[in-house]
Amino acid sequence: MLRVALLLLALAKPACPSPAAVASRRAEALKKLLEVFGMEDPPAPPAHFKQPPQYMVDLFNTVANADGVTKNPDILEGNTVRSFLDRTHSEEMRFLFVLSSVAKNEKVLTAELHLFRLWPRVTGGPKRQHFCQVSVYQVLEKDNPDTPEGKKLLAARLVSLQTSGWEVFAITPAVRDWTENESSNQGLLVTVQGLGGSPLDPPAVQFASGRDHHESKRPMLVLFTDDGRRGASLPTGGFPGESPILPAKMPVPKLGRSRSARSLERLQPCQRHPLSVDFEEIGWSGWIISPRGYNAFHCKGSCPFPLGENMRPTNHATVQSIINALKLSEGVSSPCCVPDKLYSINLLYFDDDENVVLKQYDDMVAGSCGCH
């Protein structure tokens, strides 16, 4: 009799899962979440504190709100922006960027070389020039880059000698060659000449290198790519008006609610509710720069007959609601409360090579809910 009672008690109240089972389920859930973000494993956080390039931070702030939600889906070309810092650390105008982190399925749309031009040194004399010609070459032969056969011209233009700041050169053909054949990447060569190709005093113009200048001014390669990942066919875009408020913590469901409370919840009309995703809480804050988390929202509530316009029903949902209410067909349920508009979010993060990446992900935020 006692054994029967203990058996009934065990069936009525399932045993709590073991710590190992909880850890396994958490690991499985985080792996699935990584798949949503197009990754197999989370990138390792930088070994030492690294300041992301200001260009990438400014681009994130232009593309997204503080919580990462896209302001305008047409700002970015493609859905991925990758930045690479020069690996040569040379005083010469030779640059090398390692592109091993670019996935094979990524289509290179645009590639830019960003060079920071320092203030010119004062060189007196009445014949001082005000402009110089800067040329960027793809190096074809590592040991003979100065010969006509050893390099290929990518971009050239006149640059003022009277100012300082970033200069951007389009070098897309070279980067496409490098991503198709990694061994062909022999780097870039930049030359500076006077008007008409005349010699120019070297101190008259100088670009910052990765050796003697601040990290924020290091030569940088920026790639705009597309990995082909696209979301569902629901309308997408940025939030109109202000950004939604991001709750500090994800609401924890209360256990042991009464049956009447659950019934009341089911009677609530279909509407959008907060759903916070906190990257620090799930252990991703070491490699994600921005945002710290975002509000994904979720849809919950009933879709009772008759469906009003405030429930944003589709025609199909309206017909299904009628059939369900009149019991005209067996097994037809009432329409469901689901997202009818989805927005994209943006992540700014360090990849495995400690390069900074800006990536846009479709269908990550429920913009509104409706009965479907």
Side-chain angles (χ1 to χ4, degrees):
M1 190 71 178
L2 178 60
R3 292 178 61 185
V4 173
L6 290 174
L7 178 61
L8 291 175
L9 183 62
L11 293 174
K13 187 178 181 179
C16 293
S18 67
V22 172
S24 175
R25 186 157 182 81
R26 176 184 171 84
E28 181 184 3
L30 291 180
K31 186 174 180 61
K32 290 293 184 183
L33 187 57
L34 277 170
E35 291 176 4
V36 173
F37 288 104
M39 303 177 187
E40 293 184 3
D41 298 297
H48 305 285
F49 174 77
K50 286 192 66 173
Q51 191 73 32
Q54 190 60 43
Y55 174 83
M56 297 297 288
V57 175
D58 292 342
L59 184 60
F60 175 86
N61 291 332
T62 300
V63 170
N65 293 327
D67 56 0
V69 179
T70 304
K71 294 179 183 178
N72 185 332
D74 299 322
I75 294 179
L76 278 189
E77 183 181 9
N79 61 8
T80 307
V81 185
R82 296 183 179 274
S83 63
F84 304 85
L85 296 179
D86 173 47
R87 295 293 183 93
T88 61
H89 302 286
S90 172
E91 292 182 351
E92 300 177 358
M93 302 286 274
R94 292 281 298 271
F95 306 104
L96 179 66
F97 303 94
V98 178
L99 308 182
S100 56
S101 59
V102 179
K104 295 297 183 184
N105 64 323
E106 282 186 59
K107 180 180 179 181
V108 176
L109 304 175
T110 301
E112 299 175 344
L113 174 65
H114 292 223
L115 298 177
F116 188 84
R117 184 163 35 87
L118 303 172
W119 281 105
R121 299 177 182 177
V122 178
T123 55
K127 294 184 178 180
R128 185 184 177 193
Q129 299 187 43
H130 296 283
F131 291 91
C132 67
Q133 178 172 303
V134 178
S135 303
V136 181
Y137 295 89
Q138 176 183 357
V139 177
L140 303 178
E141 297 180 8
K142 183 178 180 180
D143 298 327
N144 300 294
D146 294 324
T147 64
E149 298 80 15
K151 61 186 178 183
K152 180 172 69 175
L153 182 64
L154 298 172
R157 70 163 173 271
L158 295 180
V159 172
S160 171
L161 295 175
Q162 309 305 313
T163 58
S164 170
W166 287 98
E167 295 288 343
V168 178
F169 302 89
I171 58 167
T172 309
V175 173
R176 286 178 176 165
D177 288 346
W178 298 341
T179 54
E180 291 174 4
N181 179 10
E182 189 174 346
S183 64
S184 69
N185 183 0
Q186 303 298 326
L188 301 169
L189 170 68
V190 176
T191 64
V192 180
Q193 296 175 310
L195 298 180
S198 61
L200 188 67
D201 184 16
V205 64
Q206 187 180 13
F207 291 100
S209 67
R211 181 175 180 179
D212 298 322
H213 301 98
H214 192 272
E215 183 89 5
S216 64
K217 296 181 174 61
R218 285 179 61 182
M220 182 172 64
L221 175 65
V222 178
L223 302 190
F224 295 83
T225 70
D226 196 298
D227 63 6
R229 289 167 58 92
R230 284 292 177 262
S233 58
L234 291 178
T236 60
F239 274 108
E242 296 184 355
S243 169
I245 298 175
L246 179 65
K249 293 287 183 180
M250 185 182 298
V252 179
K254 295 181 179 180
L255 301 178
R257 291 176 300 167
S258 66
R259 182 177 301 176
S260 59
R262 293 195 297 269
S263 299
L264 182 62
E265 186 178 90
R266 285 195 295 269
L267 293 176
Q268 294 295 320
C270 174
Q271 56 188 309
R272 193 175 68 157
H273 298 266
L275 176 59
S276 173
V277 180
D278 189 325
F279 293 134
E280 183 174 0
E281 190 173 328
I282 61 179
W284 289 3
S285 60
W287 56 274
I288 293 181
I289 303 167
S290 290
R292 309 313 297 173
Y294 74 100
N295 199 339
F297 291 99
H298 71 115
C299 298
K300 183 172 64 175
S302 62
C303 295
F305 174 83
L307 295 178
E309 288 298 321
N310 62 316
M311 295 184 183
R312 306 165 65 91
T314 61
N315 288 337
H316 180 273
T318 301
V319 172
Q320 181 174 333
S321 175
I322 294 170
I323 298 299
N324 170 263
L326 298 180
K327 307 298 182 186
L328 297 179
S329 180
E330 292 185 7
V332 177
S333 61
S334 61
C336 296
C337 178
V338 296
D340 63 357
K341 184 177 291 184
L342 294 169
Y343 299 140
S344 61
I345 67 164
N346 301 266
L347 288 190
L348 188 68
Y349 65 91
F350 291 104
D351 67 12
D352 283 320
D353 296 327
E354 298 188 5
N355 300 311
V356 175
V357 181
L358 170 62
K359 202 168 184 66
Q360 195 169 92
Y361 299 91
D362 291 340
D363 302 345
M364 298 295 288
V365 175
S368 61
C369 302
C371 293
H372 289 201

